[in-house]
Amino acid sequence: MAEALRGWGCRGLLLHFVLLGTLLGAGAGQIRYSVPEELDKGSFVGNIAQDLGLEPRELAERGVRIVSRGRTQLFALNARSGSLVTAGRIDREELCAQSAQCLVSFNILVEDKMKIYEIEVEIIDINDNFPRFRDEEVKVKVIENAAMGTRLVLPFARDADVGVNSLQGYQLSSNTHFSLDEKTGTDGQKYPELVLERPLDREKVALHDLLLTALDGGNPTLSSTTHIRVVVLDANDNAPLFTQSEYRVSVPENIPVGTRLLTVIATDPDEGINGKLIYSFRNEDDKISETFQLDSSLGEISTVQSLDYEESRFYLMEVVAQDGGALLASAKVLVTVQDVNDNVPEVVLTSLTSPVSEDCLPGTILVLFSVHDGDSGENGEVACSIPRNLPFKLEKSFGNYYHLLTTSALDREEISDYNITVTVTDSGNPPLSAENHIFLKVADINDNPPIFPHTSYSTYIPENNPRGISILSVTAHDPDNGNNAQVTYSLEEDMVQGMPLSSYVSINSDTGTLYALGSFDYEQVKDLHLWVTARDSGDQPLSSNVSLSLFILDQNDNVPEILYPVFPTDGSTGVELAPRSAEPGYLVTKVVAVDRDSGQNAWLSYRLLKASEPGLFAVGLHTGEVRTARALLDRDALKQSLVVAVQDHGQPPLSATVTLTVAVADSIPDVLADLDSMKAPADPDASGLTLYLVVAVAAVSCVFLAFVIVLLALRLRRWHASRLLPAVGGGLVGVGASPFVGVDGVRAFLQTYSHEVSLTADSRESHVIFPQPNYADTLISQESCAKSEPLLISEKININEELEVIQQAPPNTDWRFSQAQRPGTSGSQNGDETGTWPNNQFDTEMLQAMILASASEAADGSSTLGGGAGTMGLSARYGPQFTLQHVPDYRQNVYIPGSNATLTNAAGKRDGKAPAGGNGNKKKSGKKEKK
């Protein structure tokens, strides 16, 4: 192409001038130019300023510019020279393809005149394209027995140029069998053809290689070539032949997919494609093509899916063998399928009754089903079975139908549903079996009452609890289902201390939670025994009940109550007497207090808060005994005032105080004399004081005489009762517990006897215990002590019930406490701090000993009980107000330090013997001496 462009130089200039002259003669409204393709950018096309009649400098002044639409700008104006130049390289084949003439049109606008000039530029073709074949090598087949003059079509070449520069003809390389011929089509294209000039012999020359060349008419001439390979084909003069006209094969139906059944064989004496056979089925139906596969080159027939004897017992097909020359042969193929036991028995459920009521009768038919097996002969014979441990059995109905019926009663609470496995087995070899599951649900009936996990419940709740507090939850389980298992709870009505049980507690009917409706008071209600009923919601509801014991736990909510001293209600002041000759440790009096609480909350301790003479008196920590701490002196005042505090051991502790007045003198006249000397001379009421004292002493003497008479009568009654019921103690009710003695006998009485009071909160029993004296100068004989029995003030109670509720063990006899450490209201004999706990069986004997000693002194005339003047109503130990009938029973409340037991006489009554230790040994020794 470059050479062609260089050859264009002189001729192009000459042509250019010719064209220019042509344009000068053209009309003023249209200008035409010619330019060869492939010029460089900026190449001269024409003098547009001259053709427009303008100077080059006027192009810009007049606004001359190119106007084109919808095409890439191929040309441009050179304002300096006033010429039209190319805007880039122009390819005529790209613009006009194979068109004989290629024209490019655009307009030039002169803006000042508003005039348009039409410009046409003809693009002249140059020989810049070679003739080209599509393929570099082409195969042409011809049969060896082709006739002379046979034409073989060859590929043609294309040239993008036009005119003389386009394709002009072909040339064929020299050979002995073929010649070249050309044909021109209607479009002017030349098509080459190969013409057979001599017969071919494939066995001699199977391939002929030729070279085809295409030439154009340019200067210089351009050309291209392609390789033509002529393949001589063998002539098909022999037909295929099968070795058998019919093939037979018998296979079992369970052969694996892809198994080769047989191979069909055909032969062809030809060679090459004429001797190569292709096997195929002829006129096969869809069933054959879906089941079998034929190898087209080997003739092997194999399965593409499993065979089924029950679906088809044999297959008949036709196989064709065809060579490359379309000659063929056919043969028959018969495939016979053998039955095997390959079908599993099948269970078909026909009817099912579910759920079934648990109260259905034995023999009830629940399920009807049928059994099928697709095999034939023995392979299709089946037998059915179910597990033996089920309450069901199978019965054959008719044909291949079976019944499933019950053999015994059902219980939903034991088994709520059954998954029955029906096993079906055929008679093949090996046998095949299948399992089918029949699900039966058992419907519930209300045949079970609610059941509590425990036969009884017990719980504890502290007293003073908040109202509405949850106490305990009881839950009953009902093994039934649905409404039959929906349990509601209720309390059976009962009376507790004259009030309905429903006023104390309530129960949530849905959850079984017990709630307290009010605040419990241990001192009023110690325990509640109630019955909880659980009832289901069945059509005929069933119920059960359980006992529930609710024990109230004591809290320290009661202040200690001082029983002695209790001041008279007539306005007089109780005074305790202490002789001036009293030694240190002399028992002046005793503060007796009780606490309505129990356990540690009722364990009392005493202490001296205030005294008019500090250091003169001391109070026992646990006994409440007021004793002299030192010897009395003459300088000590006649009247001593003491403030004693009693405190329990609860948390927080509660306390009470009492004020004692102690008169210090050797005799009652001394007391009166001292009191007279202490009187103010100007006191106008002093003249009547002696009269009041005389009247008081006389009254006390009368009371004492009546007390002695009553005591003798009670002793006779007790002696008579002991002969009838030796095991039952007599009762002494309404008798005063504190006798009056004279001043001379006070010291001997106080030094000889001590006292102890054991009280419990149980209103059914109250004990006042006076231990035996342990001094040598006792006023009663051992015989009288041995014969006496405990004096009890009690009501009849059921001891067994008391023991079951309280479950309180007897005191541990190994414990030893000093008199000062005895809890609650324990007494003292002689201030011995190493003493042991007293035996309750001797409490009455202590009381009798004190009374007899006082009576003896009164008989000897040593007592001023008769009502001497100025006695002031003094008592030796306890005032007349302190009587047994005013003392509640708090024995159960006495707490033993270091032990989980509470002191009580219940153990002694239960075992029929007194606990070891203390005065119990003295009683035994006394009885032995009598014998």
Side-chain angles (χ1 to χ4, degrees):
M1 181 181 294
E3 294 177 355
L5 291 175
R6 284 194 298 269
W8 167 261
C10 296
R11 293 186 295 114
L13 291 175
L14 181 60
L15 180 60
H16 195 69
F17 287 117
V18 174
L19 292 174
L20 182 59
T22 305
L23 289 174
L24 292 175
Q30 182 178 6
I31 301 173
R32 186 168 183 175
Y33 301 101
S34 295
V35 62
E37 64 175 333
E38 300 296 339
L39 291 178
D40 293 333
K41 179 180 179 181
S43 298
F44 177 80
V45 176
N47 192 344
I48 193 66
Q50 181 180 353
D51 295 337
L52 295 178
L54 301 174
E55 294 295 329
R57 57 182 176 80
E58 293 180 342
L59 294 180
E61 294 175 357
R62 293 176 176 258
V64 179
R65 57 187 177 88
I66 297 175
V67 179
S68 62
R69 183 178 60 184
R71 177 177 291 185
T72 303
Q73 189 64 258
L74 300 178
F75 303 96
L77 291 176
N78 190 334
R80 179 179 300 176
S81 61
S83 59
L84 183 67
V85 297
T86 58
R89 297 183 68 88
I90 301 174
D91 187 359
R92 194 200 70 85
E93 287 74 28
E94 182 180 350
L95 291 175
C96 303
Q98 295 297 112
S99 299
Q101 187 178 20
C102 183
L103 296 175
V104 177
S105 299
F106 57 91
N107 298 323
I108 290 180
L109 171 65
V110 180
E111 287 189 357
D112 61 345
K113 295 183 179 182
M114 285 297 197
K115 188 173 183 180
I116 294 294
Y117 294 90
E118 183 180 357
I119 306 298
E120 286 185 356
V121 179
E122 181 181 6
I123 308 302
I124 300 173
D125 180 52
I126 63 174
N127 192 21
D128 57 346
N129 291 284
F130 290 86
R132 296 185 182 278
F133 290 97
R134 190 184 63 178
D135 301 317
E136 295 181 357
E137 181 176 342
V138 178
K139 286 185 179 180
V140 178
K141 296 180 180 180
V142 59
I143 194 169
E144 62 177 334
N145 58 356
M148 297 298 156
T150 300
R151 291 177 175 268
L152 303 176
V153 178
L154 297 178
F156 60 91
R158 293 184 180 275
D159 196 331
D161 296 326
V162 295
V164 69
N165 295 328
S166 63
L167 178 66
Q168 299 299 318
Y170 300 92
Q171 292 180 357
L172 184 66
S173 61
S174 61
N175 64 90
T176 59
H177 291 84
F178 301 96
S179 63
L180 183 63
D181 189 17
E182 294 182 4
K183 287 186 176 181
T184 302
T186 56
D187 57 351
Q189 178 68 37
K190 297 182 180 296
Y191 300 95
E193 291 182 351
L194 200 62
V195 181
L196 181 61
E197 298 294 341
R198 294 180 61 182
L200 299 174
D201 189 353
R202 192 197 64 82
E203 288 72 24
K204 292 182 179 180
V205 181
L207 296 174
H208 297 268
D209 293 325
L210 305 174
L211 190 64
L212 180 63
T213 302
L215 303 171
D216 63 12
N219 186 15
T221 302
L222 301 179
S223 64
S224 63
T225 60
T226 183
H227 181 218
I228 305 299
R229 173 165 288 185
V230 180
V231 179
V232 180
L233 302 177
D234 182 41
N236 187 22
D237 52 356
N238 294 286
L241 180 64
F242 279 100
T243 57
Q244 295 177 224
S245 61
E246 184 175 342
Y247 295 87
R248 293 176 178 268
V249 65
S250 181
V251 294
E253 62 176 329
N254 61 346
I255 59 174
V257 175
T259 301
R260 183 173 60 85
L261 304 181
L262 75 160
T263 302
V264 294
I265 301 174
T267 59
D268 191 324
D270 293 328
E271 293 181 353
I273 192 173
N274 294 327
K276 185 177 181 180
L277 303 180
I278 297 176
Y279 299 94
S280 62
F281 291 118
R282 173 187 285 181
N283 298 328
E284 78 278 10
D285 55 14
D286 295 339
K287 186 177 182 180
I288 297 296
S289 61
E290 293 173 357
T291 307
F292 301 98
Q293 180 182 13
L294 175 61
D295 191 301
S296 61
S297 58
L298 300 178
E300 294 179 352
I301 299 177
S302 58
T303 59
V304 294
Q305 68 178 14
S306 58
L307 303 179
D308 190 356
Y309 173 82
E310 289 72 32
E311 182 179 351
S312 179
R313 299 186 180 184
F314 63 89
Y315 297 90
L316 180 62
M317 62 199 80
E318 183 179 5
V319 179
V320 173
Q322 183 177 358
D323 60 18
L327 298 179
L328 53 86
S330 64
K332 300 291 184 181
V333 176
L334 178 63
V335 178
T336 303
V337 181
Q338 300 174 355
D339 182 38
V340 295
N341 190 23
D342 61 342
N343 287 283
V344 178
E346 180 184 4
V347 176
V348 178
L349 191 63
T350 304
S351 178
L352 171 65
T353 301
S354 181
V356 57
S357 179
E358 62 178 325
D359 60 347
C360 68
L361 298 177
T364 302
I365 297 176
L366 305 178
V367 181
L368 174 65
F369 63 91
S370 59
V371 180
H372 302 275
D373 194 320
D375 295 323
S376 59
E378 292 185 354
N379 296 333
E381 296 178 0
V382 296
C384 297
S385 64
I386 61 173
R388 296 183 178 180
N389 58 346
L390 297 178
F392 307 101
K393 69 176 181 179
L394 287 177
E395 285 186 357
K396 190 168 185 179
S397 177
F398 63 91
N400 57 348
Y401 283 89
Y402 290 84
H403 282 149
L404 178 69
L405 45 85
T406 59
T407 58
S408 61
L410 305 178
D411 189 354
R412 192 206 66 83
E413 287 69 39
E414 292 184 2
I415 302 177
S416 60
D417 49 62
Y418 292 89
N419 191 3
I420 305 171
T421 303
V422 179
T423 304
V424 184
T425 306
D426 61 22
S427 301
N429 188 17
L432 298 179
S433 62
E435 293 182 351
N436 197 350
H437 298 277
I438 299 176
F439 185 79
L440 286 179
K441 189 174 182 62
V442 181
D444 181 55
I445 62 172
N446 192 23
D447 57 347
N448 291 279
I451 300 174
F452 288 95
H454 304 286
T455 57
S456 63
Y457 292 85
S458 63
T459 186
Y460 300 86
I461 180 173
E463 65 173 332
N464 303 320
N465 57 282
R467 294 185 179 182
I469 190 174
S470 173
I471 302 174
L472 176 69
S473 291
V474 294
T475 304
H477 173 68
D478 195 322
D480 292 326
N481 190 25
N483 290 335
N484 297 332
Q486 186 175 358
V487 180
T488 57
Y489 302 90
S490 61
L491 292 176
E492 291 192 6
E493 290 296 333
D494 197 0
M495 300 296 292
V496 178
Q497 295 185 354
M499 298 198 54
L501 180 64
S502 58
S503 63
Y504 291 92
V505 293
S506 67
I507 192 169
N508 189 310
S509 61
D510 296 326
T511 63
T513 302
L514 195 69
Y515 297 94
L517 296 180
S519 180
F520 289 102
D521 187 357
Y522 174 82
E523 286 71 35
Q524 293 182 2
V525 179
K526 293 182 175 59
D527 53 64
L528 292 177
H529 299 280
L530 46 105
W531 288 91
V532 178
T533 301
R535 180 175 287 100
D536 59 29
S537 303
D539 291 337
Q540 297 180 354
L542 303 177
S543 63
S544 62
N545 51 27
V546 65
S547 65
L548 191 151
S549 299
L550 175 62
F551 298 99
I552 314 301
L553 299 179
D554 181 52
Q555 289 185 329
N556 191 27
D557 58 345
N558 288 282
V559 178
E561 180 182 355
I562 298 176
L563 302 180
Y564 182 81
V566 177
F567 297 105
T569 60
D570 56 357
S572 61
T573 302
V575 179
E576 300 292 341
L577 183 63
R580 288 188 178 275
S581 59
E583 299 293 333
Y586 174 80
L587 179 62
V588 178
T589 185
K590 181 175 181 178
V591 178
V592 180
V594 294
D595 195 318
R596 298 186 62 183
D597 295 321
S598 63
Q600 186 169 332
N601 297 329
W603 184 17
L604 304 179
S605 61
Y606 304 81
R607 60 191 176 96
L608 184 61
L609 284 181
K610 183 179 179 182
S612 57
E613 186 69 31
L616 179 57
F617 298 98
V619 178
L621 179 63
H622 297 292
T623 62
E625 296 173 349
V626 180
R627 296 178 181 272
T628 57
R630 60 174 175 83
L632 297 174
L633 304 177
D634 293 338
R635 59 181 175 84
D636 291 331
L638 168 65
K639 183 179 179 182
Q640 298 288 335
S641 179
L642 308 177
V643 178
V644 179
V646 184
Q647 180 174 291
D648 58 26
H649 286 71
Q651 292 296 331
L654 302 177
S655 63
T657 59
V658 63
T659 302
L660 303 177
T661 301
V662 180
V664 180
D666 290 331
S667 64
I668 293 178
D670 294 342
V671 173
L672 296 177
D674 292 340
L675 291 175
D676 290 339
S677 63
M678 294 174 61
K679 286 193 267 185
D683 188 358
D685 297 332
S687 60
L689 178 60
T690 302
L691 178 61
Y692 294 150
L693 291 176
V694 172
V695 173
V697 172
V700 170
S701 300
C702 293
V703 172
F704 179 77
L705 181 60
F707 174 79
V708 173
I709 295 173
V710 172
L711 178 62
L712 292 177
L714 291 176
R715 289 290 295 171
L716 291 176
R717 180 183 177 186
R718 179 174 177 78
W719 173 81
H720 179 70
S722 63
R723 295 178 63 87
L724 297 177
L725 298 172
V728 180
L732 182 59
V733 182
V735 181
S738 299
F740 288 88
V741 298
V743 174
D744 296 336
V746 169
R747 181 181 304 172
F749 177 75
L750 293 178
Q751 292 179 349
T752 305
Y753 295 100
S754 62
H755 52 269
E756 177 177 348
V757 179
S758 174
L759 304 171
T760 69
D762 189 351
S763 63
R764 295 177 294 179
E765 285 190 339
S766 299
H767 288 187
V768 179
I769 305 171
F770 290 86
Q772 291 179 350
N774 56 356
Y775 284 88
D777 57 347
T778 179
L779 298 179
I780 60 175
S781 64
Q782 293 290 342
E783 180 178 358
S784 63
C785 291
K787 289 181 180 180
S788 64
E789 292 295 328
L791 180 60
L792 303 177
I793 302 175
S794 65
E795 298 176 0
K796 293 182 181 180
I797 62 172
N798 191 330
I799 299 178
N800 294 331
E801 293 180 359
E802 180 183 2
L803 293 177
E804 290 177 1
V805 175
I806 301 176
Q807 293 295 323
Q808 202 164 12
N812 189 344
T813 57
D814 294 336
W815 284 93
R816 295 294 184 267
F817 298 93
S818 66
Q819 289 288 354
Q821 291 176 336
R822 294 177 186 175
T825 58
S826 61
S828 171
Q829 292 178 349
N830 57 357
D832 185 7
E833 295 299 328
T834 61
T836 61
W837 289 96
N839 191 328
N840 292 337
Q841 293 184 356
F842 297 94
D843 296 346
T844 306
E845 293 176 340
M846 302 303 174
L847 177 61
Q848 294 172 357
M850 184 196 72
I851 296 172
L852 291 177
S854 301
S856 177
E857 290 180 355
D860 292 340
S862 59
S863 173
T864 60
L865 183 63
T871 58
M872 297 174 62
L874 302 176
S875 64
R877 283 298 176 264
Y878 304 100
Q881 297 84 358
F882 180 51
T883 59
L884 294 179
Q885 64 181 353
H886 296 147
V887 181
D889 186 0
Y890 292 100
R891 289 176 302 155
Q892 296 179 358
N893 304 18
V894 180
Y895 175 76
I896 301 177
S899 170
N900 58 0
T902 304
L903 183 59
T904 178
N905 196 29
K909 293 193 294 180
R910 178 188 59 197
D911 300 334
K913 59 183 179 179
N919 292 330
N921 297 332
K922 294 182 180 181
K923 180 180 179 181
K924 293 180 180 178
S925 62
K927 290 184 178 181
K928 186 178 293 184
E929 290 177 0
K930 181 180 178 181
K931 292 179 181 178

